[in-house]
Amino acid sequence: MATPLVLHPDRALPADPATREVARRLYDTTRSLPLVCMHGHVEAEVLADDLPFPDPAHLLVVPDHYVTRMLVSQGIPLEDLGVPRRDGGAVESDPRAIWRRLCSNWHLFRGTPSRYWLEHELVEVFGVRVQPSAETADEIYDQLAATLSDPDFRPRALLRRFNIELISTTDPATSDLRHHARLREDGLGDRVIPTFRPDAVVHVTGEGWREHVEELGKLTGFDTSAYPGFLDALRKQREAFIRAGALATDHGHLGTDTTPLNDTEAARIYSAALDGKVTPEEAGAFAGHMLFVMAEMACEDGLVMQLHPGVLRNHHDDVHRAFGPDRGFDIPVAAEFTRGLRPLLNAFGHHPNFRIVLFTVDETVYSRELAPLAGAYPSVRLGAPWWFLDSPDGMRRFRELATETAGFYNTSGFVDDTRAFASIPARHDLARRIDAGYLARLVTEHRLSEDEATETAVDLAYHLPRIAYQRPRSP
Amino acid sequence: MATPLVLHPDRALPADPATREVARRLYDTTRSLPLVCMHGHVEAEVLADDLPFPDPAHLLVVPDHYVTRMLVSQGIPLEDLGVPRRDGGAVESDPRAIWRRLCSNWHLFRGTPSRYWLEHELVEVFGVRVQPSAETADEIYDQLAATLSDPDFRPRALLRRFNIELISTTDPATSDLRHHARLREDGLGDRVIPTFRPDAVVHVTGEGWREHVEELGKLTGFDTSAYPGFLDALRKQREAFIRAGALATDHGHLGTDTTPLNDTEAARIYSAALDGKVTPEEAGAFAGHMLFVMAEMACEDGLVMQLHPGVLRNHHDDVHRAFGPDRGFDIPVAAEFTRGLRPLLNAFGHHPNFRIVLFTVDETVYSRELAPLAGAYPSVRLGAPWWFLDSPDGMRRFRELATETAGFYNTSGFVDDTRAFASIPARHDLARRIDAGYLARLVTEHRLSEDEATETAVDLAYHLPRIAYQRPRSP
Amino acid sequence: MATPLVLHPDRALPADPATREVARRLYDTTRSLPLVCMHGHVEAEVLADDLPFPDPAHLLVVPDHYVTRMLVSQGIPLEDLGVPRRDGGAVESDPRAIWRRLCSNWHLFRGTPSRYWLEHELVEVFGVRVQPSAETADEIYDQLAATLSDPDFRPRALLRRFNIELISTTDPATSDLRHHARLREDGLGDRVIPTFRPDAVVHVTGEGWREHVEELGKLTGFDTSAYPGFLDALRKQREAFIRAGALATDHGHLGTDTTPLNDTEAARIYSAALDGKVTPEEAGAFAGHMLFVMAEMACEDGLVMQLHPGVLRNHHDDVHRAFGPDRGFDIPVAAEFTRGLRPLLNAFGHHPNFRIVLFTVDETVYSRELAPLAGAYPSVRLGAPWWFLDSPDGMRRFRELATETAGFYNTSGFVDDTRAFASIPARHDLARRIDAGYLARLVTEHRLSEDEATETAVDLAYHLPRIAYQRPRSP
């Protein structure tokens, strides 16, 4: 007989009975609060088109690199998981076969957040009642497929059902924002907003950089064949994003250097890059300079900066060549913020219109650098645990390592940062449980009163994400 | 009605009931032991003059950069907190207004050690019985102000009331030690002792370096316009400090390099620095060299070295220019001890007369470098968790990360390192509770007998600080 | 009266009663499983000769650098512990005196794994019933000495008694494997196998390197006076090891660089090294290159690679000169794997015949680099917590930091890595308890069912070590 799949009401709460009891009460005050999703990777197109989701495998396995990398790590090729090859070569085309591979390897996910999120989705979103396994794979597949054809499971219906009050997509600087225009026409403009991500146009040695800046020029009517026009174009696009509802920009960099160049030098490197004659050092210096420039523009237009540094992308060249980016082969490196951000914070750290939210996949910087920076500079907020660290113990460690120096109110509240739309409630739910557990420990250890813990839990779950991104505080 | 302010007897003890019961017993054996304060920043002048403390704001807010930085991080300017500007510009002059700003933002300190310390002070030292808030600010202010005018709240009275057996101040190499002379005359010479801190004369590019070495020359009668006289002057001042009761020196460096230079090179850099022609690299090399030289002198005169590295001071230039150092804008960087200390430990690590106590604000080195070094070299002791890490979870992590390799007896016991005199009992109390909790877990997990845990708790609280600084072990 | 020495049945299990109950059940399913010792430093000669162990001090103190370094760190010279001087100078020759020094300083080991292991050995292997102390030292010594003369305490008898199913020794590339030949003749060939460790022949500036490569040439009949013959010789010795049962190679490097050189450059450095004209940079580049070459050979012959990087050996020159290596003065440095291993993993990371097991003494890389690498590359497995981290809290942190990204099935299971033969059961026992405790927490927090936790506990204790080293999975 198949093992039943049940979500325990106390899952991810602390084991100690007294602490659990407090945690349960705290979680009860936050569990039903609306979801505020200030940063993520759901495509605006999905919500604009509102088409039914595809089959279970292409919803839950193929695009989720947390899931595919784990299967790959135990010897299952990406091809067998239906991940499309760039050269159009053959990959598994039967979604049922892909789904079976996940279910047969369910044990690999023991102790991982993917397991937690998937179980939550299966039960809460799809009503599945048996544990995935080789034996139950087909039964579950059929149930999921049937559910997905129901109109109540289209993206916009789920947006309502998930109680998502606000969701930010992430959009390239060259986006024409037409999906957001459509959403606005349909009355969803306050609920789905874009985020300005200029990575593809500031990393001058990145794939297709020249095409991207040309496109930026066409879109804005500025001459991006030289540096001044490039800046004008960026400024204009930031304005377009703001008109479309944007509250923030987002920046993915390998390091955190923010040393500004003088205009002449910046312009020289920009031109050299267009000529294909740029060194890696110059490209790095230009990227750091552009972080400074983006902060400068942020002081003018009020967009909140988000920085996601420290990941060496596409660690395995062949996987990148064959399958493209975001396939699970992005590996963190040691991070450094104190020296890297110093130029930027010296210039704008006390500016009343500036805010920067910092993320890391190197948790050694929580207590050493990020909490001291956030606990001093009025412009700095600590983002939620990111990527590999967005996990039960990872989130707990974040609170333990950051709170004593930064407090709660210099953190951003939960940020789901996911491209897996159906996993959003699971992720917020887990974060609320972990924060409840951490706060409950403070209460049981008599380091905080339960009244204050309750207020803090609500702030972390709901108010702080809005405040961090400078939306007015709700009453 | 105002929320009552009560200190729970079990605060900061572990939640698990069995562990808490053991922890309570362990804490009961240490709670009343005298305080041994081997390193801190209380000014000798305060104890020598024994004047009443000023108003509540200038006792508890203005000089405490843990407190002001948190308020600044949420947008309150340093001016509004009464922190004096170097240019004499206007800052808040009403202590009551400053106090109100703290109380109105009390929630910012949730989960921080500042909150713990302040609550402990308010209740235990001043008898306050209501939680600080916008509403209670004035009432508390009045109570504090009244108390501060009572002669029983003068510094020397508190020294006795706090049961401080020994307290070390931190004094520049150029100190004439007159405050300590006065303390000695008044019979407090064994209770209040100086520490020799030569930072201002070994960092040749530091503010006012040339004036400092001139002063050192005048004070000692040696010609500090050249390197040999500089060394003679340092040696003479170390002797003066020893005569005044000093047991230790203290060294704040950005890195941990201890590579010695040959005398010619050291003398050359020293002269170049006097001529204002020194490079940052030369200045760094000289500072590292001077750590080696200080260790050499320590082998002769027996002063214990303390090293506090890894903080990038004055991260924000404007704050430094406007308000001076120690304003909350000192941010840690990654630390490295294994290679940095190698020259020094190769030369003196087994010297019978040498001891070095190591501190860090980068907790990644606890298990990786500090515990292995302290668990091998007879001269090395690990200092207590420092600054940002002097917190409930920070201290717990220190024991968890250091003990399994270094044991308990290669650590220094608690070091308060504070300039907030009235917070000293709170800090020792918290450390004793956290150590009791850690030891209790070892007992409950049957990793240590309760008898041994009790002996260890007493050693950590009282004997080890004395031993680490080479005072004879009390009976 | 002497304090009794008793091992509590619940030692090292979590304090929380509900969690402990689950942990006890999990531990009960693994406690009696056979020991699989895939990597360690027990000498093949000990098992081949099967002579009685020497006196208690030379079994439990003198060769165990975990024990001697702790005593040294509190001022006891290595000489007084009977550690032989390289120059033949006098050291303590009375084993009873050495043993007394350990027992008199028993308190130094509070909270350390050495204490746990020694207590376990004393009780379980030798039947000791009193706590070591100055008073009980002689009594215990006599009991141990009497036991050691019993034939049931010879190495092979203990091998059976300890239920060791398989044990790997570690042998230089220049080993003639004659001890293993003898073991094979005696029917122990499947139970005691060698591991190929080429460190002494790939680190060209290491002590005696030239002699080692000459020896390698003589042993294999290849001309190791030039690089091609050196490679041939290595290949031939790997084959000899495989015939002797080897499953793995082992590599100790300061860093993790794996950048390949072209053959001409490699040959040039090799020759320069033979001429004594190699720079430290060239030596480092050659060592990194050889890791790449060893991986290449591993793809051919199937030996699993083990990498143990990040330890600065012989930190104190005088200790090294006087007493040789492995005396407790090996200190970790910060580790980096993401960039270092990239060349090797780009070339072989997906090779079906390749496996690499990664170890670290810098636990900051668990969540940042090692778990992401192991959670993506099919060839990568995470080794068990190593050396300073092979401790109750160290092992717990490993699971907490690695599992959420890598899962359980990308880890190697427990690896004892010890030269202290009599401590092997204690080490495996402790690891099984800690894993039971971690899994029990997942169960109590409703993050894993107890059925799955039980299966996982057995896999970690028994199956995974075999699988990681590519032995077929037992039924």
Side-chain angles (χ1 to χ4, degrees):
Chain A
M1 215 190 67
T3 316
L5 179 61
V6 182
L7 301 183
H8 194 284
D10 288 338
R11 65 195 180 283
L13 298 184
D16 173 66
T19 312
R20 176 169 291 183
E21 214 175 291
V22 178
R24 219 185 265 145
R25 285 196 294 269
L26 296 176
Y27 170 65
D28 274 344
T29 67
T30 61
R31 62 184 305 167
S32 307
L33 292 173
L35 308 190
V36 180
C37 308
M38 299 306 302
H39 178 68
H41 294 278
V42 171
E43 299 286 346
E45 193 174 2
V46 169
L47 290 159
D49 292 350
D50 200 32
L51 298 174
F53 285 107
D55 62 86
H58 286 87
L59 176 64
L60 299 175
V61 184
V62 185
D64 188 340
H65 58 69
Y66 288 70
V67 171
T68 55
R69 70 161 177 77
M70 182 62 94
L71 297 167
V72 167
S73 80
Q74 290 276 321
I76 300 172
L78 279 168
E79 284 89 346
D80 290 3
L81 298 170
V83 176
R85 290 185 61 92
R86 278 175 148 184
D87 62 6
V91 302
E92 177 65 69
S93 61
D94 178 8
R96 189 179 288 271
I98 297 166
W99 180 254
R100 276 187 202 133
R101 284 188 186 108
L102 172 66
C103 294
S104 312
N105 287 285
W106 199 238
H107 67 288
L108 299 180
F109 295 91
R110 287 175 189 163
T112 70
S114 293
R115 169 78 174 255
Y116 183 94
W117 298 326
L118 284 168
E119 287 188 350
H120 185 115
E121 285 174 69
L122 291 176
V123 172
E124 294 281 308
V125 184
F126 297 104
V128 171
R129 293 285 174 262
V130 294
Q131 272 281 355
S133 70
E135 291 71 36
T136 60
D138 282 347
E139 173 191 344
I140 299 175
Y141 186 89
D142 292 337
Q143 183 177 350
L144 294 176
T147 309
L148 288 175
S149 65
D150 182 331
D152 281 356
F153 284 81
R154 293 207 179 178
R156 292 187 185 182
L158 289 181
L159 193 71
R160 283 186 299 271
R161 169 132 80 106
F162 290 170
N163 197 13
I164 293 176
E165 183 177 298
L166 180 69
I167 185 168
S168 258
T169 63
T170 298
D171 310 87
T174 50
S175 171
D176 59 13
L177 298 168
R178 71 197 139 100
H179 302 305
H180 287 90
R182 201 136 43 93
L183 286 159
R184 181 161 294 272
E185 284 162 23
D186 294 354
L188 287 168
D190 286 342
R191 206 155 179 183
V192 186
I193 60 174
T195 293
F196 182 76
R197 177 141 182 169
D199 288 0
V201 296
V202 305
H203 296 302
V204 300
T205 48
E207 228 177 328
W209 173 73
R210 194 196 307 238
E211 290 72 37
H212 294 309
V213 296
E214 264 177 53
E215 206 185 329
L216 185 67
K218 269 182 214 150
L219 193 69
T220 57
F222 284 105
D223 174 15
T224 56
S225 73
Y227 178 68
F230 171 65
L231 292 190
D232 288 337
L234 285 172
R235 219 175 264 116
K236 186 161 179 192
Q237 272 299 82
R238 291 175 66 108
E239 285 162 20
F241 271 70
I242 290 169
R243 279 194 309 274
L247 296 171
T249 67
D250 183 36
H251 307 269
H253 284 233
L254 181 54
T256 62
D257 177 39
T258 59
T259 312
L261 305 172
N262 64 47
D263 282 353
T264 321
E265 178 63 2
R268 188 191 67 72
I269 295 179
Y270 187 85
S271 298
L274 283 175
D275 294 345
K277 288 177 181 159
V278 81
T279 66
E281 289 69 32
E282 287 171 331
F286 189 80
H289 164 73
M290 286 307 298
L291 279 179
F292 189 93
V293 169
M294 289 290 106
E296 206 166 21
M297 292 187 189
C299 292
E300 294 163 19
D301 62 23
L303 287 176
V304 172
M305 275 187 95
Q306 298 171 100
L307 182 58
H308 287 90
V311 181
L312 185 63
R313 306 272 173 175
N314 309 311
H315 192 266
H316 196 268
D317 293 332
D318 288 349
V319 167
H320 183 224
R321 260 191 298 273
F323 299 96
D326 302 324
R327 295 308 179 198
F329 285 82
D330 301 327
I331 311 290
V333 294
E336 199 286 330
F337 288 83
T338 303
R339 289 181 168 105
L341 294 184
R342 200 179 184 192
L344 186 152
L345 291 175
N346 255 285
F348 315 113
H350 289 262
H351 193 289
N353 212 23
F354 183 61
R355 170 142 304 161
I356 184 164
V357 185
L358 301 175
F359 295 85
T360 186
V361 276
D362 174 4
E363 53 190 316
T364 70
V365 299
Y366 286 155
S367 73
R368 187 179 63 219
E369 305 177 37
L370 292 185
L373 286 168
Y377 282 100
S379 60
V380 175
R381 290 293 178 274
L382 301 191
W386 175 40
W387 200 334
F388 303 104
L389 304 175
D390 179 15
S391 60
D393 287 342
M395 290 191 279
R396 181 178 50 74
R397 286 195 301 272
F398 168 71
R399 290 287 173 214
E400 291 177 2
L401 288 157
T403 306
E404 296 184 318
T405 290
F408 292 103
Y409 290 87
N410 288 309
T411 65
S412 74
F414 186 63
V415 173
D416 57 61
D417 195 17
T418 187
R419 59 194 77 228
F421 184 57
S423 77
I424 288 177
R427 288 167 188 251
H428 286 258
D429 180 73
L430 184 54
R432 289 170 183 192
R433 289 169 180 274
I434 297 300
D435 282 344
Y438 173 71
L439 285 162
R441 181 164 72 83
L442 296 191
V443 172
T444 329
E445 293 179 7
H446 307 288
R447 291 159 62 186
L448 197 65
S449 74
E450 188 165 337
D451 283 354
E452 289 186 282
T454 304
E455 189 181 294
T456 307
V458 172
D459 286 341
L460 294 178
Y462 182 69
H463 296 299
L464 280 175
R466 299 182 73 94
I467 294 170
Y469 293 83
Q470 296 181 322
R471 302 269 287 198
R473 181 160 176 147
S474 299
Chain B
M1 215 192 68
T3 316
L5 179 62
V6 182
L7 301 182
H8 194 283
D10 288 339
R11 65 195 181 282
L13 298 184
D16 173 67
T19 312
R20 176 168 291 183
E21 213 174 294
V22 178
R24 219 184 266 147
R25 284 197 294 272
L26 296 176
Y27 170 66
D28 274 345
T29 67
T30 61
R31 62 183 307 168
S32 307
L33 291 172
L35 309 190
V36 180
C37 309
M38 299 306 303
H39 177 67
H41 294 277
V42 171
E43 299 286 345
E45 192 174 2
V46 169
L47 290 159
D49 292 350
D50 200 32
L51 299 174
F53 284 109
D55 62 85
H58 287 87
L59 176 65
L60 299 175
V61 183
V62 184
D64 188 340
H65 58 69
Y66 289 69
V67 170
T68 54
R69 68 160 179 77
M70 181 63 93
L71 297 168
V72 167
S73 78
Q74 290 275 322
I76 301 173
L78 280 167
E79 283 90 344
D80 290 3
L81 299 169
V83 176
R85 291 185 60 93
R86 279 174 149 185
D87 64 5
V91 302
E92 177 65 69
S93 61
D94 177 9
R96 188 179 288 270
I98 297 166
W99 181 253
R100 277 189 202 133
R101 284 188 186 107
L102 172 66
C103 293
S104 312
N105 288 284
W106 199 238
H107 67 289
L108 298 180
F109 295 91
R110 288 176 188 162
T112 70
S114 293
R115 168 78 173 254
Y116 183 94
W117 298 326
L118 285 168
E119 286 188 351
H120 185 116
E121 285 173 70
L122 291 177
V123 173
E124 294 281 310
V125 183
F126 297 103
V128 172
R129 293 287 175 261
V130 293
Q131 273 281 355
S133 70
E135 291 71 37
T136 60
D138 282 346
E139 172 192 345
I140 299 175
Y141 186 89
D142 292 336
Q143 182 177 352
L144 295 175
T147 310
L148 288 175
S149 64
D150 182 333
D152 281 358
F153 284 81
R154 293 205 179 181
R156 291 188 185 180
L158 290 180
L159 193 72
R160 284 186 297 272
R161 170 132 79 106
F162 291 169
N163 197 12
I164 292 176
E165 183 176 299
L166 181 69
I167 185 168
S168 259
T169 64
T170 297
D171 310 87
T174 49
S175 170
D176 58 13
L177 298 167
R178 71 197 139 100
H179 302 303
H180 287 90
R182 201 133 45 93
L183 286 158
R184 181 161 295 274
E185 284 162 22
D186 295 353
L188 287 167
D190 286 343
R191 206 154 179 184
V192 187
I193 61 174
T195 294
F196 181 77
R197 178 138 182 172
D199 288 1
V201 295
V202 306
H203 296 302
V204 300
T205 47
E207 228 177 326
W209 172 74
R210 195 197 305 238
E211 290 72 38
H212 294 309
V213 297
E214 262 177 55
E215 205 184 329
L216 185 68
K218 270 180 213 151
L219 194 68
T220 57
F222 284 107
D223 173 13
T224 55
S225 73
Y227 178 68
F230 171 66
L231 292 190
D232 288 337
L234 285 172
R235 219 174 264 115
K236 186 160 180 195
Q237 272 300 81
R238 292 175 65 109
E239 284 162 20
F241 272 70
I242 290 169
R243 279 194 309 273
L247 296 170
T249 67
D250 182 37
H251 307 270
H253 284 233
L254 181 55
T256 62
D257 177 39
T258 58
T259 312
L261 304 172
N262 64 47
D263 282 351
T264 321
E265 178 65 0
R268 188 191 66 70
I269 295 179
Y270 186 85
S271 298
L274 282 176
D275 294 344
K277 290 179 179 159
V278 80
T279 66
E281 290 68 33
E282 288 171 332
F286 188 80
H289 164 75
M290 285 308 299
L291 280 180
F292 190 93
V293 169
M294 288 291 105
E296 207 167 20
M297 291 187 189
C299 292
E300 294 163 18
D301 62 25
L303 288 178
V304 172
M305 275 185 95
Q306 299 171 100
L307 183 58
H308 288 89
V311 182
L312 185 62
R313 304 273 172 174
N314 309 311
H315 192 265
H316 195 269
D317 293 332
D318 287 349
V319 168
H320 184 222
R321 259 192 298 273
F323 299 96
D326 301 323
R327 296 307 178 199
F329 286 82
D330 301 327
I331 311 290
V333 294
E336 200 286 330
F337 288 83
T338 303
R339 290 181 167 106
L341 293 185
R342 200 178 185 193
L344 186 152
L345 290 175
N346 255 285
F348 314 113
H350 290 262
H351 193 290
N353 211 23
F354 184 60
R355 170 142 304 160
I356 184 165
V357 185
L358 301 175
F359 295 85
T360 186
V361 277
D362 174 4
E363 54 189 318
T364 71
V365 299
Y366 287 155
S367 74
R368 187 179 66 218
E369 305 177 38
L370 292 186
L373 286 167
Y377 282 100
S379 60
V380 175
R381 290 294 178 274
L382 302 190
W386 175 40
W387 201 335
F388 303 104
L389 304 174
D390 179 14
S391 60
D393 287 342
M395 290 191 280
R396 181 178 51 75
R397 286 196 301 272
F398 169 72
R399 289 288 172 213
E400 291 177 4
L401 288 158
T403 306
E404 296 183 320
T405 289
F408 291 103
Y409 291 87
N410 287 309
T411 65
S412 74
F414 186 64
V415 173
D416 57 62
D417 195 16
T418 187
R419 59 194 77 228
F421 184 57
S423 78
I424 288 177
R427 288 167 188 251
H428 285 259
D429 180 74
L430 184 55
R432 289 170 184 193
R433 289 170 180 272
I434 297 300
D435 282 345
Y438 174 71
L439 285 161
R441 181 164 72 84
L442 296 191
V443 172
T444 328
E445 292 179 7
H446 307 289
R447 290 159 63 186
L448 196 65
S449 73
E450 189 166 335
D451 283 355
E452 288 186 282
T454 305
E455 189 180 296
T456 307
V458 172
D459 286 341
L460 295 179
Y462 182 70
H463 296 299
L464 281 176
R466 299 184 72 94
I467 294 170
Y469 293 82
Q470 296 182 322
R471 299 270 289 200
R473 182 161 175 145
S474 299
Chain C
M1 215 189 68
T3 317
L5 179 60
V6 182
L7 301 182
H8 194 283
D10 288 338
R11 65 195 180 281
L13 298 184
D16 173 66
T19 312
R20 176 169 290 182
E21 213 175 292
V22 178
R24 220 184 264 147
R25 285 197 294 271
L26 296 175
Y27 170 66
D28 274 345
T29 66
T30 61
R31 62 184 307 166
S32 307
L33 292 173
L35 308 190
V36 180
C37 309
M38 297 307 302
H39 178 67
H41 294 278
V42 171
E43 299 286 345
E45 193 175 2
V46 169
L47 290 158
D49 292 350
D50 200 30
L51 299 174
F53 285 108
D55 62 85
H58 286 88
L59 177 65
L60 299 175
V61 184
V62 184
D64 188 340
H65 58 68
Y66 288 70
V67 171
T68 55
R69 69 160 178 78
M70 182 62 95
L71 296 167
V72 167
S73 79
Q74 290 276 322
I76 300 172
L78 280 166
E79 284 90 344
D80 290 3
L81 298 170
V83 176
R85 290 185 60 92
R86 277 173 151 186
D87 63 7
V91 303
E92 176 65 68
S93 60
D94 177 8
R96 189 178 288 268
I98 297 166
W99 180 254
R100 277 187 204 136
R101 283 187 187 109
L102 172 65
C103 294
S104 312
N105 288 283
W106 198 237
H107 67 287
L108 299 181
F109 296 91
R110 288 175 189 163
T112 70
S114 293
R115 169 78 174 254
Y116 184 94
W117 299 326
L118 285 168
E119 286 189 350
H120 185 116
E121 286 175 69
L122 290 177
V123 173
E124 294 281 311
V125 183
F126 298 104
V128 171
R129 294 287 174 261
V130 293
Q131 273 281 357
S133 69
E135 291 71 37
T136 61
D138 282 346
E139 172 191 345
I140 299 175
Y141 186 90
D142 292 335
Q143 182 177 352
L144 294 176
T147 309
L148 287 175
S149 64
D150 183 332
D152 281 357
F153 284 81
R154 293 208 178 178
R156 292 186 184 182
L158 289 181
L159 194 70
R160 284 187 297 273
R161 169 131 82 106
F162 290 170
N163 197 13
I164 293 176
E165 183 177 298
L166 181 70
I167 185 167
S168 258
T169 62
T170 299
D171 310 86
T174 49
S175 171
D176 59 13
L177 298 168
R178 71 199 140 97
H179 303 303
H180 287 90
R182 202 134 44 92
L183 285 158
R184 180 160 295 273
E185 284 163 23
D186 294 353
L188 286 168
D190 286 343
R191 207 156 179 183
V192 186
I193 61 175
T195 294
F196 181 76
R197 177 140 184 171
D199 288 1
V201 296
V202 306
H203 296 302
V204 299
T205 48
E207 228 178 328
W209 173 73
R210 195 197 306 239
E211 290 71 38
H212 294 307
V213 297
E214 263 178 54
E215 206 185 329
L216 184 67
K218 270 181 214 149
L219 192 70
T220 57
F222 285 106
D223 174 14
T224 55
S225 74
Y227 178 68
F230 171 66
L231 292 189
D232 288 337
L234 285 172
R235 219 175 263 114
K236 186 161 179 190
Q237 272 298 81
R238 291 175 66 107
E239 285 162 18
F241 271 70
I242 290 169
R243 281 194 308 275
L247 296 169
T249 67
D250 183 36
H251 307 271
H253 284 234
L254 180 55
T256 62
D257 177 39
T258 59
T259 312
L261 304 172
N262 64 46
D263 282 353
T264 321
E265 177 64 1
R268 188 192 66 72
I269 295 179
Y270 187 85
S271 298
L274 282 175
D275 294 345
K277 289 178 181 159
V278 81
T279 66
E281 289 69 32
E282 288 171 331
F286 188 80
H289 164 75
M290 286 307 298
L291 279 180
F292 190 94
V293 169
M294 288 291 105
E296 206 167 22
M297 291 188 190
C299 291
E300 293 164 19
D301 62 25
L303 287 178
V304 173
M305 275 186 95
Q306 298 170 102
L307 183 57
H308 286 89
V311 181
L312 185 63
R313 305 271 174 177
N314 308 313
H315 192 265
H316 195 268
D317 293 332
D318 287 349
V319 167
H320 184 224
R321 260 191 299 272
F323 299 97
D326 301 324
R327 296 308 178 197
F329 286 81
D330 302 327
I331 312 289
V333 292
E336 199 288 329
F337 288 83
T338 302
R339 291 182 167 104
L341 294 184
R342 200 177 184 193
L344 186 152
L345 291 175
N346 256 286
F348 314 113
H350 290 262
H351 193 289
N353 211 24
F354 183 61
R355 169 140 308 159
I356 184 164
V357 186
L358 301 175
F359 295 85
T360 187
V361 277
D362 175 3
E363 53 190 317
T364 70
V365 299
Y366 287 154
S367 74
R368 187 179 64 219
E369 305 178 37
L370 292 185
L373 286 168
Y377 282 100
S379 59
V380 175
R381 289 294 179 276
L382 301 192
W386 175 41
W387 201 335
F388 302 103
L389 304 174
D390 178 14
S391 60
D393 287 341
M395 290 191 281
R396 180 178 52 74
R397 286 196 301 273
F398 169 71
R399 290 286 173 215
E400 291 178 2
L401 288 158
T403 307
E404 296 184 319
T405 291
F408 292 103
Y409 290 87
N410 287 309
T411 65
S412 74
F414 186 64
V415 172
D416 56 60
D417 195 18
T418 186
R419 59 194 76 227
F421 183 57
S423 78
I424 288 177
R427 288 167 188 252
H428 286 257
D429 180 74
L430 184 54
R432 289 170 184 192
R433 289 170 180 273
I434 297 299
D435 282 345
Y438 174 71
L439 285 161
R441 180 164 72 85
L442 296 190
V443 172
T444 328
E445 292 179 7
H446 306 290
R447 291 160 61 186
L448 197 65
S449 74
E450 188 165 338
D451 283 355
E452 289 186 281
T454 305
E455 190 181 295
T456 306
V458 172
D459 285 340
L460 294 179
Y462 183 70
H463 296 299
L464 281 176
R466 298 184 73 94
I467 293 170
Y469 293 82
Q470 295 182 322
R471 300 270 288 199
R473 182 160 175 145
S474 299

